Amino acid sequence: ALTTKPSKNTYIEGQDLDVSDMVVTAYYNNDTTEVITDYNISGFESVPGTYTVTVEYGGRTASFVVQVKQKTLQTISIENLPDKLVYLEGDSLDTKGLTVMAHYDNGTSEVITDYTLRGYSSTPGTKTIYVEKGEAIDSFTVTVTAKSLVSISVTSQPRKLIYLEGDAF
């Protein structure tokens, strides 16, 4: 018998079953009892759903029900900034090297790539780039510098090189 069922009966996807406070008692035909710990547990999965968890000992079983809820994104964080943070006017945003971590309510984290970016334009100035996944947001800044003229050159000769006085150029 489950003398004391586990106090935790609701889990979040990815969490392990916690039976640390469960007490299982074996009742024998000579009117004796014994608290046991070498029982077997089956029926629990750490994916969303409702599960009947079975405790088995000596061919006898007892059970309890738990619910596993889907994990929920809590926050995201930028773990590594992109390699390129300074751009010239007209350049496209380059996110090579950007690493974004998702943090969930079950205590787990994972690197994600299915985020969206907003805030970049190739006009001069400091730009705040927002990284978003659902309601979770983090940001970083990049600098776009104005293009500047460094030189000019004639790349082709005009066909007419000789003029008479009074000719139009």
Side-chain angles (χ1 to χ4, degrees):
L2 297 176
T3 311
T4 305
K5 290 183 180 182
S7 57
K8 184 172 183 173
N9 59 11
T10 303
Y11 293 85
I12 300 170
E13 175 183 11
Q15 289 182 324
D16 293 328
L17 181 66
D18 180 5
V19 294
S20 59
D21 61 346
M22 179 174 74
V23 178
V24 179
T25 304
Y27 293 87
Y28 297 98
N29 61 358
N30 65 354
D31 291 330
T32 61
T33 62
E34 173 187 20
V35 173
I36 57 169
T37 57
D38 57 340
Y39 47 78
N40 293 312
I41 296 178
S42 62
F44 178 80
E45 293 184 44
S46 192
V47 294
T50 301
Y51 300 95
T52 299
V53 179
T54 302
V55 179
E56 188 274 328
Y57 177 79
R60 304 290 182 174
T61 62
S63 61
F64 58 96
V65 175
V66 297
Q67 184 171 15
V68 179
K69 296 180 180 181
Q70 186 171 4
K71 66 184 177 183
T72 303
L73 178 66
Q74 297 295 299
T75 61
I76 62 172
S77 61
I78 297 169
E79 297 299 305
N80 294 305
L81 291 170
D83 297 339
K84 185 174 181 178
L85 296 173
V86 178
Y87 294 85
L88 285 176
E89 181 178 3
D91 285 350
S92 297
L93 182 65
D94 181 359
T95 58
K96 181 182 174 206
L98 177 64
T99 305
V100 179
M101 188 74 71
H103 307 278
Y104 299 96
D105 60 348
N106 65 354
T108 63
S109 298
E110 65 182 346
V111 173
I112 58 169
T113 57
D114 59 338
Y115 51 81
T116 57
L117 298 171
R118 69 177 172 84
Y120 181 77
S121 72
S122 62
T123 58
T126 300
K127 311 297 177 179
T128 300
I129 310 304
Y130 296 95
V131 181
E132 302 174 342
K133 168 83 173 164
E135 300 293 318
I137 299 173
D138 201 354
S139 64
F140 63 95
T141 59
V142 297
T143 303
V144 179
T145 57
K147 61 183 177 183
S148 61
L149 182 62
V150 292
S151 69
I152 64 169
S153 64
V154 176
T155 57
S156 64
Q157 295 279 340
R159 286 187 222 173
K160 185 173 181 179
L161 296 174
I162 299 174
Y163 292 86
L164 295 176
E165 186 176 334
D167 284 351
F169 182 68

